[in-house]
Amino acid sequence: MREDIWKFAGVLLIALVIGILTHHVLLLLLLGTGLCLLHQQRNLYRLRRWLQNREKHRPPDARGLLAEVCREIDYRFEHHQSRKQTLSTYLKRFQEAASALPDGTIVLGEAGEIEWANDAARRYLGVRWPQDARQRIANLIRHPQLPSLLEAHSGATQALEIPSPVHPDMRLSLFTVPYGSTQRLFIARDVTKLYRLNRMRSDFIANASHELRTPLTVINGYLETLEEDQGQWPEASRSSFTQMRRQTERMRNLINDLLLLSALEHDEAVPSPELVRVPEMLSAIYMEANALSGAREHIFYLEADPKLWIMGNYNELYSAFSNLVINAVQYTPGKGIIRIRWYADNEGAHMHVSDTGIGIPESHRLRITERFYRVDKGRSRESGGTGLGLAIVKHVLARHNASLHIESTPGKGSTFRCDFPPATIAQGDAQPGLSSSA
Ligand code: ADP
């Protein structure tokens, strides 16, 4: 910098001296300044040329400030080059590692566009890299539930299981893992073996249940006839027949529940949703529960929004809701209160069943939706429970994109709440209010 000032001052001094000698001071000072500016301009021009093509051109042959600027640029450029080299080495390593992954792996940008994909993604999903670069994944893989998988930005999303778009026999589990500020890894895992194994298991249960149903119906028929002719039999035999009938009834319920559960497992969504008039359904369940309560004289309340209908499967929802209400009757001592509510808010439609029954200890709460899990096996069997009711409820709700929430205080009662997303709601015609108690 100082060097530049001295140089400029030197030129002006020479111009001044020559100006005094020639009596043209102003003209020569202007000439000196112009010369300095011209020199700077030429250096700037060479600097620009050098920055545009460092290979072909040399930096300006200057000293002072410009030389310092050139040195700084040179240093930063070298630094940048070495960082670029390191980053591209890392990127190459990441791509090599991700290419070797057995899972189909796709890097998605903020809008779900493809930024990179490995070879397994081509084999499993038909996504080709680099041909499909910047394409939206939802345009390449068509599935009704894919948008909600992509919209969920948290890693806690449930995996989506679909048949492979390339090989219909292959079953894929899709899930996303967020990383960076906006990017996501979209992973497709081959779960065909697990799927087939599960299918074999549920087919086996369905077939076995089916085969057991016919002989059981025959036995039940004979027992009914024997019971009808009670007069012919001694007292001891009569009570044996009643016991046998009760047990075959239990077995029939168990088989029906097993068949329903395996049917629910076969598809993950309701095949063709229909309009379900839930308030009417709840009225029927309410009557059923009243009859079941009988001499125990439970007090029932039913509050249902008469216009609130949903899209779904009538039989499945009936089975789920009646399981919850029947459980409330079975696990609530006589004269206890059972309240059924059906209403909607901003978060969707909700069905509540609360009771003032025995409640569920905290340690069991997470497991009671598992098949055959009971808090008190003896009590459940005594009340004719199959141990499959809540497993059916959970499956039915999952097929309707709904979820089950349980709150309970042992000794005080329980509340089972089914939450349906707003998308399932279909508003019905106004009807007289359905609100009753008994
Ligand atoms: P079960 O046929 O035994 O009733 P479920 O799957 O319907 O089978 O319920 C599983 C278990 O959850 C029951 O055995 C019971 O211990 C508990 N349970 C379910 N509903 C209630 C309730 N309303 N109050 C107390 N316990 C309940």
Side-chain angles (χ1 to χ4, degrees):
M1 178 77 181
R2 202 177 289 160
E3 203 174 321
D4 290 321
I5 294 171
W6 279 120
K7 208 189 267 176
F8 184 57
V11 172
L12 284 189
L13 192 69
I14 294 169
L16 186 70
V17 172
I18 300 174
I20 291 169
L21 292 176
T22 56
H23 305 288
H24 291 294
V25 176
L26 204 63
L27 184 70
L28 272 130
L29 278 178
L30 273 173
L31 214 68
T33 315
L35 267 175
C36 286
L37 277 175
L38 218 67
H39 179 66
Q40 288 297 349
Q41 200 62 29
R42 181 168 162 265
N43 277 343
L44 283 176
Y45 168 74
R46 291 180 65 187
L47 176 68
R48 193 191 68 180
R49 226 173 38 165
W50 175 62
L51 286 176
Q52 279 170 344
N53 192 342
R54 290 169 51 92
E55 307 276 294
K56 205 165 148 203
H57 301 287
R58 286 165 43 75
D61 194 13
R63 271 187 244 156
L65 187 62
L66 203 62
E68 274 172 41
V69 170
C70 288
R71 266 198 303 277
E72 186 66 29
I73 289 173
D74 224 20
Y75 168 75
R76 280 175 192 252
F77 183 79
E78 292 304 329
H79 186 64
H80 174 73
Q81 282 297 94
S82 90
R83 277 188 59 182
K84 208 166 124 185
Q85 188 70 36
T86 318
L87 283 176
S88 72
T89 313
Y90 282 142
L91 188 68
K92 212 166 146 219
R93 271 194 217 146
F94 162 77
Q95 290 187 346
E96 276 167 6
S99 296
L101 283 177
D103 295 336
T105 308
I106 301 173
V107 176
L108 294 182
E110 195 175 0
E113 75 281 10
I114 297 168
E115 291 190 349
W116 183 81
N118 71 355
D119 199 44
R122 181 184 54 75
R123 282 184 274 118
Y124 294 172
L125 299 163
V127 171
R128 297 156 309 150
W129 179 259
Q131 292 91 323
D132 291 331
R134 317 300 321 163
Q135 292 254 36
R136 284 180 182 227
I137 188 87
N139 292 342
L140 298 179
I141 305 166
R142 300 272 177 190
H143 192 277
Q145 279 165 36
L146 191 69
S148 43
L149 176 78
L150 293 172
E151 273 159 28
H153 277 264
S154 80
T157 337
Q158 270 208 335
L160 170 66
E161 216 181 283
I162 63 163
S164 156
V166 193
H167 307 285
D169 289 342
M170 185 189 265
R171 205 70 194 172
L172 296 175
S173 168
L174 308 180
F175 57 96
T176 60
V177 184
Y179 80 97
S181 53
T182 55
Q183 281 165 311
R184 272 163 300 160
L185 276 184
F186 182 88
I187 312 247
R189 184 161 293 166
D190 180 4
V191 289
T192 317
K193 275 191 194 148
L194 199 68
Y195 175 75
R196 286 203 188 126
L197 217 65
N198 269 333
R199 191 98 192 187
M200 264 166 64
R201 181 184 53 85
S202 78
D203 281 351
F204 171 75
I205 294 173
N207 290 337
S209 308
H210 212 77
E211 292 300 324
L212 283 171
R213 196 145 74 164
T214 321
L216 206 62
T217 313
V218 176
I219 296 171
N220 218 30
Y222 280 123
L223 285 173
E224 262 173 33
T225 325
L226 288 172
E227 268 191 318
E228 275 165 21
D229 306 330
Q230 279 194 29
Q232 301 180 28
W233 307 104
E235 178 61 34
S237 306
R238 268 185 259 154
S239 79
S240 306
F241 293 149
T242 315
Q243 276 296 324
M244 282 155 80
R245 267 255 301 144
R246 207 173 286 159
Q247 292 305 321
T248 48
E249 193 57 41
R250 264 198 64 211
M251 280 170 79
R252 216 171 49 178
N253 288 343
L254 190 61
I255 285 169
N256 286 343
D257 276 1
L258 279 172
L259 279 171
L260 175 60
L261 206 54
S262 68
L264 291 174
E265 277 178 346
H266 269 221
D267 304 295
E268 56 291 312
V270 175
S272 43
E274 63 205 2
L275 191 67
V276 181
R277 293 174 168 84
V278 179
E280 287 166 31
M281 176 192 281
L282 291 178
S283 288
I285 295 174
Y286 163 85
M287 308 284 268
E288 230 178 76
N290 244 318
L292 182 71
S293 166
R296 287 181 287 164
E297 295 180 346
H298 291 101
I299 301 158
F300 289 93
Y301 292 100
L302 168 63
E303 295 157 34
D305 179 345
K307 286 187 274 176
L308 184 58
W309 300 349
I310 56 171
M311 297 303 290
N313 181 286
Y314 184 90
N315 291 338
E316 289 181 17
L317 289 170
Y318 193 99
S319 171
F321 293 167
S322 77
N323 262 310
L324 293 178
V325 177
I326 287 169
N327 275 352
V329 176
Q330 303 292 29
Y331 299 104
T332 303
K335 298 213 177 3
I337 299 170
I338 294 165
R339 193 182 291 274
I340 308 165
R341 287 173 65 211
W342 172 243
Y343 64 94
D345 59 19
N346 287 344
E347 272 146 42
H350 311 277
M351 138 78 175
H352 270 234
V353 183
S354 20
D355 61 55
T356 53
I358 58 170
I360 306 155
E362 171 101 51
S363 54
H364 294 277
R365 219 166 296 155
L366 278 180
R367 298 198 58 194
I368 56 167
T369 53
E370 289 173 17
R371 286 150 214 228
F372 299 115
Y373 191 89
R374 290 124 156 173
V375 177
D376 179 346
K377 280 202 169 66
R379 185 179 177 132
S380 161
R381 289 212 183 96
E382 218 173 88
S383 61
T386 59
L388 295 172
L390 291 182
I392 291 175
V393 173
K394 206 171 109 180
H395 261 85
V396 169
L397 294 185
R399 282 159 65 84
H400 287 79
N401 294 322
S403 52
L404 178 69
H405 300 272
I406 307 168
E407 280 168 27
S408 185
T409 314
K412 290 210 163 146
S414 318
T415 299
F416 288 76
R417 195 185 78 227
C418 311
D419 293 337
F420 291 83
T424 48
I425 298 179
Q427 290 293 330
D429 294 332
Q431 285 180 6
L434 275 171
S435 184
S436 9
S437 64

